[in-house]
Amino acid sequence: MKTITKKQDLISEIDSLKATGKSIGFVPTMGALHAGHMSLVNRAVNENDCCVVSVFVNPTQFNNPTDLEKYPRNLQHDEEMLRAAGCSIVFSPSPEEMYNAEEMNSTFEFDFGGLDQVMEGKYRPGHFNGVVQVVSKLFSLVRPDRAYFGEKDFQQLAIIHRMVKLMNFPVKIVDCPIVREESGLALSSRNERLNTQQRENAVKISEVLFESRNFVPEKSVNELIRWVIDSINKVEGLEVEYFEIVDAATLQAIDKWNDNCVGCITVYCGDVRLIDNIRYY
């Protein structure tokens, strides 16, 4: 396994792989890898000749400087996990390698078709501009045949599909299911910031989401939204930022049940922001 920090070195490696007809699977990450990430890496290793993983905490997708500063980083541990999984290349650039000063200080423009106006986009202005900015750069460098993304970031995944279509990237996006701890808590790098009590509290998020499926379609959409929010807010240390039930294709809020809807939630557990989602069909 090679660890590369310079764009030009990565381009040279990819050129060599392409020249010999090797297929490339790509997993973009911000590091602090866990079993959820590794499920993507394992698929990329198994389904391609070469697996490339980026480990880059992207500053342009953080609208909160404190969140960026506190984001967990442990490249050595990440490299050990990736080597054991059979990863071929780790790309771990500095922000200065990825962006010039103008890019760091301006908003990346993209036609989201409204996908950025709801849920995460509403509460984290500019976040998805930074996501599209960095993923488009990485796709241009890695030129993968397949790229693997987790469904935990459901809204992000929808935006990546739109980006690939509008920007004509010749890559297949592979949607991968949420990986959970045995307790049901969705795996996240941010879980590292939870203390023991907070972790116990956070399990209630998935418990309530799973239970909420029992009330469909008896409860109306709005009644179920209220029930989920109230149930989680009753837990000490948890505060729902939003819970919305949306059409899985358009991400627009629904008011009547259909066979293609998903509930998306963000909850603060102390000062740690956790996201999760559940399908209702």
Side-chain angles (χ1 to χ4, degrees):
M1 186 181 81
K2 297 181 179 180
T3 297
I4 297 173
T5 60
K6 300 296 183 183
K7 290 185 291 188
Q8 191 53 56
D9 293 341
L10 178 64
I11 290 170
S12 297
E13 287 290 334
I14 299 299
D15 284 343
S16 298
L17 292 168
K18 293 284 187 181
T20 55
K22 301 290 188 184
S23 62
I24 298 172
F26 178 48
V27 182
T29 83
M30 293 206 298
L33 302 183
H34 51 66
H37 293 114
M38 299 313 297
S39 69
L40 310 184
V41 173
N42 290 334
R43 284 197 63 175
V45 168
N46 291 332
E47 297 174 6
N48 303 275
D49 298 318
C50 175
C51 170
V52 179
V53 176
S54 61
V55 177
F56 177 61
V57 181
N58 175 39
T60 69
Q61 70 188 66
F62 285 82
N63 60 322
N64 182 339
T66 302
D67 194 23
L68 172 60
E69 181 183 341
K70 290 184 176 180
Y71 199 86
R73 297 166 172 84
N74 191 340
L75 180 59
Q76 182 177 348
H77 182 254
D78 293 342
E79 288 177 319
E80 291 171 359
M81 294 177 70
L82 292 171
R83 184 177 293 108
C87 174
S88 305
I89 296 172
V90 177
F91 181 50
S92 181
S94 66
E96 295 74 21
E97 179 67 16
M98 285 297 289
Y99 298 114
N100 60 39
E102 181 181 350
E103 290 172 325
M104 284 288 286
N105 295 306
S106 61
T107 301
F108 183 81
E109 297 297 331
F110 180 74
D111 175 14
F112 291 94
L115 294 178
D116 63 328
Q117 298 300 308
V118 298
M119 298 186 293
E120 290 294 286
K122 186 191 307 180
Y123 290 90
R124 301 180 69 187
H127 168 68
F128 289 122
N129 300 77
V131 169
V132 172
Q133 182 181 34
V134 73
V135 175
S136 61
K137 277 179 169 285
L138 290 168
F139 279 5
S140 296
L141 292 167
V142 178
R143 291 164 279 160
D145 298 280
R146 301 173 187 87
Y148 298 79
F149 291 83
E151 292 183 342
K152 182 173 74 72
D153 297 290
F154 192 84
Q155 186 173 6
Q156 172 179 280
L157 185 53
I159 286 171
I160 295 299
H161 277 287
R162 180 174 176 83
M163 182 199 80
V164 166
K165 182 177 180 180
L166 292 188
M167 300 178 80
N168 295 312
F169 282 111
V171 56
K172 175 179 173 57
I173 301 300
V174 182
D175 302 2
C176 300
I178 296 173
V179 178
R180 299 182 180 276
E181 297 182 2
E182 188 173 340
S183 66
L185 179 64
L187 286 174
S188 169
S189 299
R190 297 175 191 272
N191 292 356
E192 291 187 14
R193 295 176 53 199
L194 301 173
N195 61 36
T196 302
Q197 184 59 57
Q198 287 175 324
R199 186 176 287 270
E200 289 181 11
N201 295 342
V203 170
K204 192 66 176 179
I205 301 168
S206 57
E207 287 181 356
V208 169
L209 291 181
F210 294 150
E211 186 177 355
S212 71
R213 289 190 294 199
N214 297 329
F215 303 122
V216 178
E218 285 76 19
K219 286 185 182 291
S220 71
V221 171
N222 288 334
E223 286 172 339
L224 190 65
I225 289 173
R226 191 73 258 161
W227 181 85
V228 167
I229 292 173
D230 289 345
S231 298
I232 292 176
N233 283 344
K234 287 176 183 175
V235 180
E236 185 177 356
L238 297 185
E239 183 177 355
V240 176
E241 182 174 60
Y242 70 79
F243 176 61
E244 297 186 24
I245 299 176
V246 302
D247 183 277
T250 67
L251 301 187
Q252 298 306 302
I254 63 170
D255 54 16
K256 293 183 179 179
W257 294 111
N258 63 45
D259 60 358
N260 190 36
C261 54
V262 60
C264 297
I265 196 165
T266 292
V267 180
Y268 275 97
C269 183
D271 66 346
V272 182
R273 190 173 186 273
L274 303 175
I275 67 172
D276 202 345
N277 65 73
I278 191 165
R279 293 179 181 269
Y280 287 113
Y281 57 91

Coordinates of all heavy atoms in Angstrom, one line a residue, residues 85-158:
A85 N -6.9 -4.3 5.1 CA -8.1 -4.6 4.2 C -7.7 -4.8 2.7 O -8.5 -5.2 1.9 CB -9.1 -3.4 4.3
G86 N -6.4 -4.5 2.4 CA -6.0 -4.7 1.0 C -6.1 -3.5 0.1 O -6.1 -3.6 -1.1
C87 N -6.2 -2.3 0.8 CA -6.2 -1.1 0.0 C -4.9 -0.9 -0.7 O -3.8 -1.2 -0.2 CB -6.5 0.1 1.0 SG -6.3 1.7 0.2
S88 N -4.9 -0.3 -1.9 CA -3.7 -0.2 -2.7 C -3.0 1.2 -2.5 O -1.8 1.3 -2.4 CB -4.0 -0.3 -4.2 OG -4.6 -1.6 -4.4
I89 N -3.9 2.3 -2.5 CA -3.4 3.6 -2.4 C -4.2 4.4 -1.4 O -5.4 4.4 -1.5 CB -3.4 4.3 -3.8 CG1 -2.5 3.6 -4.8 CG2 -3.1 5.8 -3.7 CD1 -2.7 4.1 -6.2
V90 N -3.5 5.1 -0.5 CA -4.1 6.1 0.4 C -3.7 7.5 -0.1 O -2.5 7.8 -0.3 CB -3.7 5.9 1.8 CG1 -4.3 7.0 2.7 CG2 -4.1 4.5 2.3
F91 N -4.7 8.4 -0.4 CA -4.4 9.7 -0.8 C -4.7 10.6 0.4 O -5.9 10.8 0.8 CB -5.1 10.1 -2.0 CG -4.9 11.5 -2.5 CD1 -3.6 12.0 -2.7 CD2 -5.9 12.4 -2.8 CE1 -3.3 13.3 -3.1 CE2 -5.7 13.7 -3.2 CZ -4.4 14.1 -3.4
S92 N -3.7 11.3 1.0 CA -3.9 12.1 2.2 C -3.2 13.4 2.0 O -2.1 13.7 2.6 CB -3.3 11.4 3.4 OG -3.6 12.1 4.6
P93 N -3.8 14.3 1.2 CA -3.2 15.6 0.9 C -3.5 16.6 2.1 O -4.3 16.5 2.9 CB -4.0 16.1 -0.3 CG -5.3 15.5 -0.1 CD -5.1 14.2 0.6
S94 N -2.7 17.7 2.1 CA -3.0 18.9 2.9 C -4.0 19.7 2.3 O -4.2 19.7 1.1 CB -1.7 19.7 3.2 OG -1.3 20.3 1.9
P95 N -4.7 20.6 3.0 CA -5.6 21.6 2.4 C -5.0 22.4 1.4 O -5.6 22.7 0.3 CB -6.1 22.4 3.6 CG -6.0 21.5 4.8 CD -4.8 20.7 4.5
E96 N -3.7 22.8 1.6 CA -3.0 23.6 0.7 C -2.7 22.9 -0.6 O -2.6 23.5 -1.7 CB -1.7 24.1 1.3 CG -1.8 25.0 2.5 CD -2.3 24.3 3.8 OE1 -2.1 23.1 3.9 OE2 -2.8 25.0 4.6
E97 N -2.6 21.6 -0.6 CA -2.4 20.8 -1.8 C -3.6 20.7 -2.6 O -3.6 20.7 -3.8 CB -1.9 19.4 -1.4 CG -1.6 18.4 -2.6 CD -0.5 18.9 -3.5 OE1 0.4 19.7 -3.0 OE2 -0.4 18.3 -4.6
M98 N -4.8 20.6 -1.9 CA -6.0 20.5 -2.6 C -6.6 21.8 -3.1 O -7.3 21.8 -4.2 CB -7.1 19.8 -1.7 CG -6.9 18.4 -1.4 SD -7.0 17.4 -2.9 CE -8.8 17.5 -3.2
Y99 N -6.3 22.9 -2.4 CA -7.0 24.2 -2.8 C -6.0 25.3 -2.9 O -5.0 25.4 -2.0 CB -8.0 24.5 -1.7 CG -9.2 23.6 -1.5 CD1 -9.3 22.9 -0.3 CD2 -10.1 23.4 -2.5 CE1 -10.4 22.0 -0.1 CE2 -11.1 22.5 -2.4 CZ -11.3 21.8 -1.2 OH -12.3 20.9 -1.0
N100 N -6.2 26.2 -3.8 CA -5.5 27.5 -3.8 C -6.3 28.4 -2.9 O -7.4 28.2 -2.4 CB -5.3 28.0 -5.2 CG -6.6 28.3 -5.9 OD1 -7.5 28.8 -5.3 ND2 -6.6 28.0 -7.2
A101 N -5.7 29.6 -2.6 CA -6.3 30.6 -1.7 C -7.6 31.0 -2.1 O -8.6 31.2 -1.3 CB -5.3 31.8 -1.5
E102 N -7.8 31.2 -3.4 CA -9.1 31.7 -3.9 C -10.2 30.6 -3.7 O -11.3 31.0 -3.3 CB -9.0 32.0 -5.4 CG -10.3 32.5 -6.0 CD -10.2 32.8 -7.5 OE1 -9.1 32.8 -8.0 OE2 -11.3 33.0 -8.1
E103 N -9.9 29.4 -3.9 CA -10.9 28.3 -3.7 C -11.2 28.2 -2.2 O -12.4 27.9 -1.9 CB -10.3 27.0 -4.2 CG -10.2 26.9 -5.7 CD -9.4 25.6 -6.1 OE1 -8.5 25.2 -5.4 OE2 -9.8 25.0 -7.2
M104 N -10.3 28.4 -1.3 CA -10.5 28.3 0.1 C -11.4 29.4 0.6 O -12.1 29.2 1.6 CB -9.2 28.3 0.9 CG -8.4 27.0 0.8 SD -9.2 25.7 1.8 CE -8.7 26.3 3.5
N105 N -11.4 30.5 -0.1 CA -12.1 31.7 0.4 C -13.3 32.1 -0.4 O -13.8 33.2 -0.3 CB -11.1 32.9 0.5 CG -10.0 32.7 1.5 OD1 -10.3 32.4 2.7 ND2 -8.8 32.8 1.1
S106 N -13.8 31.2 -1.3 CA -15.0 31.5 -2.1 C -15.9 30.3 -2.1 O -15.4 29.1 -1.8 CB -14.6 31.9 -3.5 OG -13.9 30.8 -4.2
T107 N -17.1 30.5 -2.4 CA -18.1 29.3 -2.4 C -18.1 28.7 -3.8 O -18.3 29.3 -4.8 CB -19.5 29.9 -2.0 OG1 -19.5 30.5 -0.7 CG2 -20.5 28.7 -2.0
F108 N -18.0 27.4 -3.8 CA -18.1 26.6 -5.0 C -19.5 26.6 -5.5 O -20.4 26.3 -4.7 CB -17.6 25.2 -4.7 CG -17.6 24.3 -5.9 CD1 -16.5 24.3 -6.8 CD2 -18.6 23.4 -6.2 CE1 -16.4 23.5 -7.9 CE2 -18.5 22.6 -7.3 CZ -17.5 22.6 -8.1
E109 N -19.7 26.9 -6.8 CA -21.0 27.1 -7.3 C -21.4 25.8 -8.0 O -20.6 25.2 -8.8 CB -21.1 28.2 -8.3 CG -20.8 29.6 -7.7 CD -21.8 30.0 -6.7 OE1 -23.0 29.5 -6.8 OE2 -21.5 30.7 -5.7
F110 N -22.7 25.3 -7.8 CA -23.2 24.1 -8.4 C -24.7 24.2 -8.4 O -25.3 24.7 -7.5 CB -22.7 22.9 -7.6 CG -23.2 21.6 -8.1 CD1 -22.7 21.0 -9.2 CD2 -24.2 20.9 -7.5 CE1 -23.1 19.8 -9.7 CE2 -24.7 19.7 -7.9 CZ -24.1 19.1 -9.1
D111 N -25.3 23.6 -9.4 CA -26.8 23.6 -9.6 C -27.3 22.4 -8.8 O -27.3 21.3 -9.4 CB -27.1 23.6 -11.0 CG -28.7 23.4 -11.2 OD1 -29.4 23.6 -10.2 OD2 -29.1 23.1 -12.4
F112 N -27.7 22.6 -7.6 CA -28.2 21.4 -6.8 C -29.6 21.0 -7.1 O -30.1 20.0 -6.6 CB -28.1 21.8 -5.3 CG -26.7 21.9 -4.8 CD1 -26.1 23.1 -4.8 CD2 -26.1 20.8 -4.3 CE1 -24.8 23.2 -4.3 CE2 -24.8 20.9 -3.8 CZ -24.1 22.1 -3.8
G113 N -30.3 21.8 -7.9 CA -31.7 21.5 -8.2 C -32.6 21.5 -7.0 O -33.6 20.7 -7.0
G114 N -32.3 22.2 -6.0 CA -33.1 22.3 -4.8 C -32.7 21.3 -3.7 O -33.2 21.3 -2.6
L115 N -31.8 20.3 -4.1 CA -31.4 19.3 -3.1 C -30.7 19.8 -1.9 O -30.6 19.2 -0.8 CB -30.6 18.2 -3.8 CG -31.2 17.4 -4.9 CD1 -30.2 16.4 -5.5 CD2 -32.4 16.6 -4.3
D116 N -30.1 21.0 -2.0 CA -29.3 21.6 -1.0 C -30.2 22.5 -0.1 O -29.6 23.1 0.9 CB -28.2 22.4 -1.5 CG -28.6 23.6 -2.4 OD1 -29.7 23.5 -3.0 OD2 -28.0 24.6 -2.4
Q117 N -31.5 22.7 -0.3 CA -32.3 23.6 0.4 C -33.0 23.0 1.6 O -33.7 23.7 2.3 CB -33.3 24.3 -0.6 CG -32.7 25.1 -1.7 CD -31.8 26.2 -1.2 OE1 -32.3 27.0 -0.4 NE2 -30.6 26.3 -1.7
V118 N -32.9 21.7 1.7 CA -33.6 21.0 2.8 C -32.7 20.4 3.8 O -31.5 20.2 3.5 CB -34.6 20.0 2.2 CG1 -35.6 20.6 1.3 CG2 -33.8 18.9 1.4
M119 N -33.2 20.0 4.9 CA -32.4 19.2 5.9 C -31.0 19.7 6.2 O -30.9 20.9 6.6 CB -32.4 17.7 5.5 CG -33.9 17.2 5.4 SD -33.9 15.4 5.1 CE -33.3 15.3 3.4
E120 N -30.0 19.0 5.8 CA -28.6 19.4 6.1 C -28.3 20.7 5.5 O -27.6 21.6 6.1 CB -27.6 18.3 5.7 CG -27.6 17.1 6.5 CD -27.2 17.3 7.9 OE1 -26.0 17.5 8.1 OE2 -28.0 17.3 8.8
G121 N -28.8 20.9 4.3 CA -28.5 22.2 3.6 C -29.1 23.4 4.3 O -28.5 24.5 4.3
K122 N -30.2 23.2 4.9 CA -30.9 24.3 5.6 C -30.1 24.7 6.8 O -30.0 25.8 7.2 CB -32.3 23.8 6.0 CG -33.2 24.9 6.6 CD -34.4 24.4 7.1 CE -35.2 23.5 6.2 NZ -36.5 23.0 6.8
Y123 N -29.6 23.7 7.5 CA -28.9 23.9 8.8 C -27.4 24.1 8.7 O -26.7 24.5 9.6 CB -29.2 22.8 9.8 CG -30.6 22.8 10.2 CD1 -31.6 22.1 9.5 CD2 -31.0 23.5 11.3 CE1 -33.0 22.1 10.0 CE2 -32.4 23.5 11.8 CZ -33.3 22.8 11.1 OH -34.6 22.8 11.5
R124 N -26.8 23.7 7.6 CA -25.4 23.8 7.4 C -25.1 24.5 6.0 O -24.7 23.9 5.1 CB -24.7 22.5 7.4 CG -24.9 21.7 8.7 CD -24.2 20.3 8.6 NE -22.7 20.5 8.6 CZ -21.9 19.5 8.5 NH1 -22.3 18.3 8.2 NH2 -20.6 19.7 8.5
P125 N -25.4 25.8 5.9 CA -25.3 26.5 4.7 C -23.8 26.4 4.1 O -22.9 26.6 4.9 CB -25.6 28.0 5.0 CG -25.5 28.1 6.5 CD -25.9 26.7 7.0
G126 N -23.7 26.1 2.8 CA -22.4 26.0 2.2 C -21.8 24.6 2.3 O -20.8 24.3 1.6
H127 N -22.4 23.7 3.2 CA -21.8 22.4 3.4 C -21.7 21.6 2.1 O -20.7 21.1 1.8 CB -22.6 21.7 4.4 CG -22.3 20.2 4.6 ND1 -21.1 19.7 5.1 CD2 -23.1 19.1 4.2 CE1 -21.1 18.4 5.0 NE2 -22.3 18.0 4.5
F128 N -22.8 21.5 1.4 CA -22.8 20.7 0.2 C -22.0 21.3 -1.0 O -21.5 20.6 -1.8 CB -24.3 20.4 -0.2 CG -24.9 19.4 0.7 CD1 -26.1 19.7 1.4 CD2 -24.4 18.1 0.9 CE1 -26.7 18.8 2.2 CE2 -25.0 17.2 1.8 CZ -26.2 17.6 2.4
N129 N -21.9 22.6 -1.0 CA -21.0 23.2 -1.9 C -19.6 22.7 -1.7 O -18.9 22.3 -2.7 CB -21.0 24.8 -1.8 CG -22.3 25.4 -2.0 OD1 -23.2 25.3 -1.1 ND2 -22.6 26.0 -3.1
G130 N -19.1 22.6 -0.5 CA -17.8 22.0 -0.2 C -17.7 20.6 -0.5 O -16.7 20.1 -0.9
V131 N -18.8 19.8 -0.3 CA -18.8 18.4 -0.6 C -18.6 18.2 -2.1 O -17.8 17.4 -2.5 CB -20.1 17.7 -0.1 CG1 -20.2 16.3 -0.7 CG2 -20.2 17.7 1.4
V132 N -19.4 18.9 -2.9 CA -19.3 18.7 -4.3 C -17.9 19.2 -4.8 O -17.3 18.6 -5.7 CB -20.4 19.5 -5.1 CG1 -20.2 19.5 -6.6 CG2 -21.8 18.9 -4.7
Q133 N -17.4 20.3 -4.2 CA -16.1 20.8 -4.6 C -15.0 19.7 -4.4 O -14.3 19.5 -5.3 CB -15.8 22.0 -3.7 CG -14.5 22.7 -4.1 CD -14.2 23.9 -3.2 OE1 -14.6 23.9 -2.0 NE2 -13.6 24.9 -3.7
V134 N -15.0 19.1 -3.2 CA -13.9 18.2 -3.0 C -14.1 16.9 -3.7 O -13.1 16.3 -4.3 CB -13.7 18.0 -1.5 CG1 -14.9 17.1 -0.9 CG2 -12.4 17.3 -1.2
V135 N -15.3 16.4 -3.8 CA -15.5 15.1 -4.5 C -15.3 15.2 -6.0 O -14.7 14.3 -6.6 CB -17.0 14.5 -4.2 CG1 -17.2 13.3 -5.0 CG2 -17.1 14.2 -2.7
S136 N -15.7 16.3 -6.6 CA -15.4 16.5 -8.0 C -13.9 16.6 -8.2 O -13.4 16.1 -9.2 CB -16.1 17.8 -8.5 OG -15.6 19.0 -7.8
K137 N -13.2 17.3 -7.3 CA -11.7 17.3 -7.4 C -11.1 15.9 -7.3 O -10.2 15.5 -8.1 CB -11.1 18.2 -6.4 CG -11.1 19.7 -6.7 CD -10.5 20.5 -5.5 CE -10.2 21.9 -5.8 NZ -9.0 22.1 -6.7
L138 N -11.6 15.1 -6.4 CA -11.1 13.8 -6.1 C -11.4 12.9 -7.3 O -10.5 12.1 -7.7 CB -11.6 13.2 -4.8 CG -11.1 13.9 -3.6 CD1 -11.9 13.4 -2.4 CD2 -9.6 13.5 -3.3
F139 N -12.6 13.0 -7.9 CA -12.9 12.2 -9.0 C -12.0 12.5 -10.2 O -11.7 11.6 -11.0 CB -14.4 12.4 -9.4 CG -15.4 11.6 -8.6 CD1 -15.0 10.8 -7.5 CD2 -16.8 11.7 -8.9 CE1 -15.9 10.1 -6.8 CE2 -17.7 10.9 -8.2 CZ -17.3 10.2 -7.1
S140 N -11.7 13.8 -10.4 CA -10.9 14.2 -11.5 C -9.4 13.6 -11.3 O -8.8 13.3 -12.3 CB -10.8 15.7 -11.6 OG -12.1 16.2 -11.9
L141 N -9.0 13.5 -10.1 CA -7.7 12.9 -9.8 C -7.6 11.4 -9.9 O -6.7 10.8 -10.5 CB -7.2 13.4 -8.4 CG -6.9 14.9 -8.2 CD1 -6.8 15.2 -6.8 CD2 -5.7 15.3 -9.0
V142 N -8.6 10.8 -9.3 CA -8.6 9.3 -9.1 C -9.1 8.6 -10.4 O -8.7 7.5 -10.7 CB -9.3 8.9 -7.9 CG1 -9.4 7.4 -7.7 CG2 -8.7 9.5 -6.6
R143 N -10.1 9.3 -11.0 CA -10.7 8.7 -12.2 C -11.2 7.3 -12.0 O -10.8 6.4 -12.8 CB -9.8 8.8 -13.4 CG -9.5 10.2 -13.9 CD -8.3 10.2 -14.8 NE -7.0 10.3 -14.1 CZ -5.8 10.0 -14.5 NH1 -5.7 9.5 -15.8 NH2 -4.8 10.0 -13.8
P144 N -12.0 7.1 -11.0 CA -12.4 5.7 -10.6 C -13.5 5.1 -11.6 O -14.2 5.9 -12.2 CB -13.0 5.9 -9.2 CG -13.6 7.3 -9.2 CD -12.6 8.1 -10.1
D145 N -13.5 3.8 -11.6 CA -14.6 3.1 -12.3 C -15.8 3.1 -11.4 O -17.0 3.2 -11.9 CB -14.2 1.7 -12.7 CG -13.0 1.7 -13.6 OD1 -13.2 1.9 -14.8 OD2 -11.8 1.6 -13.2
R146 N -15.6 2.9 -10.1 CA -16.7 2.8 -9.1 C -16.3 3.6 -7.9 O -15.1 3.6 -7.5 CB -17.0 1.4 -8.7 CG -17.4 0.5 -9.9 CD -17.5 -1.0 -9.4 NE -17.7 -1.9 -10.5 CZ -16.7 -2.4 -11.2 NH1 -15.4 -2.2 -10.9 NH2 -17.0 -3.2 -12.2
A147 N -17.3 4.3 -7.3 CA -17.0 5.1 -6.1 C -18.1 4.7 -5.1 O -19.3 4.5 -5.4 CB -17.0 6.6 -6.3
Y148 N -17.7 4.5 -3.8 CA -18.6 3.9 -2.8 C -18.9 4.9 -1.7 O -18.0 5.6 -1.2 CB -17.8 2.7 -2.2 CG -17.6 1.6 -3.2 CD1 -16.5 1.7 -4.1 CD2 -18.4 0.5 -3.3 CE1 -16.2 0.8 -5.1 CE2 -18.1 -0.5 -4.3 CZ -17.0 -0.3 -5.1 OH -16.8 -1.3 -6.1
F149 N -20.2 5.0 -1.5 CA -20.7 6.0 -0.5 C -21.8 5.3 0.4 O -22.6 4.5 -0.1 CB -21.4 7.2 -1.2 CG -20.4 8.1 -1.9 CD1 -20.0 7.8 -3.2 CD2 -19.9 9.3 -1.3 CE1 -19.1 8.6 -3.9 CE2 -19.0 10.1 -2.0 CZ -18.6 9.8 -3.3
G150 N -21.8 5.7 1.7 CA -22.7 5.1 2.6 C -24.1 5.8 2.6 O -24.1 7.1 2.4
E151 N -25.1 5.1 2.8 CA -26.5 5.7 2.8 C -26.8 6.4 4.1 O -27.8 7.1 4.2 CB -27.5 4.5 2.6 CG -27.5 4.0 1.2 CD -28.5 2.9 1.0 OE1 -29.1 2.4 2.0 OE2 -28.8 2.6 -0.2
K152 N -25.9 6.3 5.1 CA -26.1 7.1 6.3 C -26.2 8.6 6.0 O -27.0 9.4 6.5 CB -25.0 6.9 7.4 CG -25.3 7.7 8.7 CD -24.3 7.3 9.8 CE -22.9 7.9 9.5 NZ -22.9 9.4 9.7
D153 N -25.4 9.1 5.1 CA -25.4 10.4 4.6 C -26.3 10.5 3.3 O -25.9 10.6 2.2 CB -24.0 10.9 4.2 CG -23.1 10.9 5.4 OD1 -23.3 11.8 6.2 OD2 -22.2 10.1 5.5
F154 N -27.6 10.3 3.6 CA -28.6 10.0 2.5 C -28.7 11.2 1.6 O -28.7 11.1 0.3 CB -30.0 9.7 3.1 CG -30.9 9.2 2.1 CD1 -31.0 7.9 1.8 CD2 -31.8 10.1 1.5 CE1 -31.9 7.4 0.9 CE2 -32.7 9.6 0.6 CZ -32.8 8.2 0.3
Q155 N -28.7 12.4 2.1 CA -28.8 13.6 1.3 C -27.6 13.8 0.5 O -27.6 14.2 -0.7 CB -29.1 14.9 2.2 CG -29.4 16.1 1.4 CD -29.8 17.3 2.3 OE1 -29.8 17.1 3.6 NE2 -30.2 18.4 1.8
Q156 N -26.4 13.6 1.1 CA -25.2 13.7 0.4 C -25.1 12.8 -0.8 O -24.7 13.1 -1.9 CB -24.0 13.4 1.3 CG -22.6 13.4 0.6 CD -21.5 13.1 1.6 OE1 -21.0 14.0 2.3 NE2 -21.1 11.8 1.7
L157 N -25.6 11.6 -0.6 CA -25.6 10.6 -1.6 C -26.4 11.0 -2.8 O -26.0 10.8 -4.0 CB -26.1 9.2 -1.1 CG -26.0 8.0 -2.0 CD1 -24.6 7.8 -2.6 CD2 -26.4 6.8 -1.2
A158 N -27.6 11.6 -2.6 CA -28.4 12.1 -3.6 C -27.7 13.2 -4.4 O -27.8 13.2 -5.7 CB -29.8 12.6 -3.1

